[in-house]
Amino acid sequence: MELTCLHNKFKFPSLPHLSRPFFKNPNPRIFPRKINILFLASASDTVVASSIKELGSKKDDEFGDLKSWMHRNGLPRCKVVLNESTSHDEKHMPVHYVAASEDLRAGDVAFSVPNSLVVTLERVLGNETVAELLTTNKLSELACLALYLMYEKKQGKKSFWYPYIRELDRQRGRGQLAVESPLLWSEEELAYLTGSPTKAEVLERAEGIKREYNELDTVWFMAGSLFQQYPYDIPTEAFPFEIFKQAFVAVQSCVVHLQKVPLAQRFALVPLGPPLLAYRSNCKAMLSAVNGAVELVVDRACKAGEPIVVWCGPQPNSKLLINYGFVDDDNSYDRLVVEAALNTEDPQYQDKRLVVQRNGKLSVQVFHVYAGKEKEAVSDMLPYLRLGYVSDPSEMQSVLSSQGPVCPVSPCMERAVLAQLADYFNRRLAGYLTTLNEDESLLSDPNLNPRRRVATELVRLEKKILHACLQATTELIDELPDHTVSPCPAPYALLLK
């Protein structure tokens, strides 16, 4: 995705190489506002059009590709090349990806990008300003980096980072196996996620981005020494919200979270990093800060021409889709959430609250159901759910005096608890627009819309987890000794959502 569509007609001073941070100016100079009609152009149309036009320009040949530019600016010899992969959308340019230039063995250093070619908040704003911005709890590192790149984009070819920004434009926030984040989908496309909790997460994240946009001017006033180099309007005047959202999502898709570094360096934009690298959940290779550089050591053998893969962290598929636009079938970190809450109208609510706290749980408890571990998750929920069926005060006193999550378990109670769980899983499955079989049929269509495909992949995996939970619950019901016993009533059963 293109970071911004703004190409104005003014000639701007060249940005000096960022070899030192820009420190805070307590009295930032505010330039006169210049209203450029191009700023208000349609975001989506302009982004697509300008990307193709700009990327296809022969005048850009003077910069060479991203890797050539990096070598000219300090990248040492490495063991990777940039290859092309066809885009899902014929209207967009092919995407690049990092591949091995020679056969690699586990433990080989694929590349080492010097810090002079890495964008962090320390380089952009300086430690003091970063600390102030982040302690306001109003702006994230991603928002600050997105704003910086938007202003750099306005510099055009005079920006030192032009070749890198041009590559981000080409990638459009996608890796070679991905589509754009659902944060950029239409309302009709978001409907593909109906029934999935991911849809609500997308809407919540979009609201968060909007709140950060409304605080962007804070950066302008707190980091005047940086923005004095950009004779443009303050952020919310210079950039419409849709442009900022596109930039934010692009940064989100390629930012690297470095470990064991100062706060101002922990989020980094690394040329040759994502989205040029392929993310995998079962990979352990990570970009690491080592001796003034960010390097990648591969964790597996790799033939020349094969894509280089890195670990995406312990993220469920919902986060992979929102952050990077893909879903991983082989994701051991994939999970769904089941939220159970004590009924606050229960006369014995306080006693039950003491019991769950004593056993390391909360009055509103989140249970994580991991793919392949559904039986364990159901077993973990049962002691908590049984509390909702304890209504006799003497039974409650027995629970309070026990040393563990012990409830008196009768066939009547157990059948009621399991029936509540089974009903819950059935209701969640009924909330989707399609069945598992219909998902499989959709995915067999080679011409399926890419966004529909990745959404279907996600909901299919969610349904598999729910079906496995339902099966585990049904098996426990079948194991009950007396099937003639009716479930006992529970006026204060726990609430599941």
Side-chain angles (χ1 to χ4, degrees), residues 151-212:
Y151 276 116
E152 281 299 299
K153 173 72 174 182
K154 286 169 69 77
Q155 295 277 72
K157 296 181 181 180
K158 295 187 180 223
S159 168
F160 172 76
W161 300 103
Y162 172 76
Y164 179 45
I165 293 173
R166 182 182 61 173
E167 188 62 43
L168 293 180
D169 285 351
R170 183 185 191 115
Q171 297 298 122
R172 303 177 65 85
R174 307 158 298 161
Q176 62 266 32
L177 300 177
V179 298
E180 293 89 342
S181 164
L183 287 164
L184 299 175
W185 293 8
S186 67
E187 189 174 334
E188 180 182 345
E189 289 167 331
L190 280 179
Y192 301 151
L193 298 172
T194 297
S196 169
T198 306
K199 184 177 180 180
E201 290 181 46
V202 171
L203 297 175
E204 183 180 355
R205 181 82 65 90
E207 283 298 315
I209 296 173
K210 180 65 174 178
R211 288 193 296 271
E212 294 208 62

Side-chain angles (χ1 to χ4, degrees), residues 340-342 349-365 367 383-385 387-388 396 399-400 404-405 494:
L342 298 176
Y349 171 78
Q350 293 299 337
D351 286 341
K352 293 180 180 181
R353 186 166 169 265
L354 286 174
V355 171
V356 298
Q357 288 179 341
R358 187 178 65 192
N359 290 281
K361 298 289 194 295
L362 302 171
S363 55
V364 179
Q365 179 63 39
F367 294 92
Y384 190 91
L385 294 178
L387 273 176
M396 193 67 241
V399 174
L400 282 169
L494 273 65

Side-chain angles (χ1 to χ4, degrees), residues 186-457:
S186 67
E187 189 174 334
E188 180 182 345
E189 289 167 331
L190 280 179
Y192 301 151
L193 298 172
T194 297
S196 169
T198 306
K199 184 177 180 180
E201 290 181 46
V202 171
L203 297 175
E204 183 180 355
R205 181 82 65 90
E207 283 298 315
I209 296 173
K210 180 65 174 178
R211 288 193 296 271
E212 294 208 62
Y213 174 76
N214 293 333
E215 295 292 337
L216 280 184
D217 295 347
T218 303
V219 188
W220 175 278
F221 290 109
M222 294 182 68
S225 58
L226 167 63
F227 294 110
Q228 281 183 4
Q229 300 180 74
Y230 305 109
Y232 315 119
D233 294 326
I234 60 176
T236 54
E237 294 285 343
F239 305 106
F241 171 65
E242 286 302 319
I243 296 298
F244 172 71
K245 184 166 75 168
Q246 292 171 22
F248 187 98
V249 173
V251 168
Q252 173 184 267
S253 73
C254 60
V255 74
V256 175
H257 192 180
L258 297 176
Q259 305 294 320
K260 300 178 182 178
V261 296
L263 175 70
Q265 299 173 18
R266 63 178 180 174
F267 287 98
L269 301 175
V270 184
L272 294 184
L276 297 172
L277 293 171
Y279 273 136
R280 294 282 173 80
S281 299
N282 61 0
C283 175
K284 293 303 177 187
M286 296 174 61
L287 288 164
S288 305
V290 179
N291 299 324
V294 176
E295 73 174 25
L296 175 63
V297 177
V298 297
D299 71 332
R300 62 191 66 191
C302 186
K303 296 290 186 182
E306 290 182 349
I308 302 290
V309 296
V310 294
W311 187 43
C312 53
Q315 301 186 65
N317 279 324
S318 59
K319 293 291 188 294
L320 295 182
L321 178 59
I322 294 172
N323 293 336
Y324 313 115
F326 80 99
V327 169
D328 189 350
D329 268 348
D330 187 24
N331 184 0
S332 60
Y333 303 99
D334 196 22
R335 62 180 183 267
L336 286 180
V337 166
V338 174
E339 184 180 288
L342 298 176
N343 193 324
T344 55
E345 296 180 0
D346 189 340
Q348 301 183 92
Y349 171 78
Q350 293 299 337
D351 286 341
K352 293 180 180 181
R353 186 166 169 265
L354 286 174
V355 171
V356 298
Q357 288 179 341
R358 187 178 65 192
N359 290 281
K361 298 289 194 295
L362 302 171
S363 55
V364 179
Q365 179 63 39
V366 170
F367 294 92
H368 293 290
V369 184
Y370 284 87
K373 297 183 178 179
E374 294 85 359
K375 285 186 178 181
E376 294 89 333
V378 168
S379 296
D380 190 33
M381 295 177 207
L382 290 178
Y384 190 91
L385 294 178
R386 287 178 188 132
L387 273 176
Y389 293 81
V390 177
S391 55
D392 186 278
S394 62
E395 288 183 346
M396 193 67 241
Q397 288 305 310
S398 174
V399 174
L400 282 169
S401 62
S402 66
Q403 299 298 314
V406 178
C407 288
V409 181
S410 65
C412 169
M413 174 189 288
E414 199 69 351
R415 180 170 294 278
V417 172
L418 292 170
Q420 182 187 8
L421 258 186
D423 178 66
Y424 167 77
F425 292 130
N426 276 317
R427 281 189 286 111
R428 283 193 64 166
L429 284 166
Y432 291 96
L433 297 178
T434 55
T435 65
L436 262 179
N437 287 338
E438 289 169 336
D439 292 340
E440 298 291 353
S441 178
L442 280 170
L443 292 172
S444 66
D445 179 4
N447 298 315
L448 185 64
N449 174 284
R451 294 182 180 184
R452 181 68 185 271
R453 178 176 296 279
V454 74
T456 302
E457 288 171 348

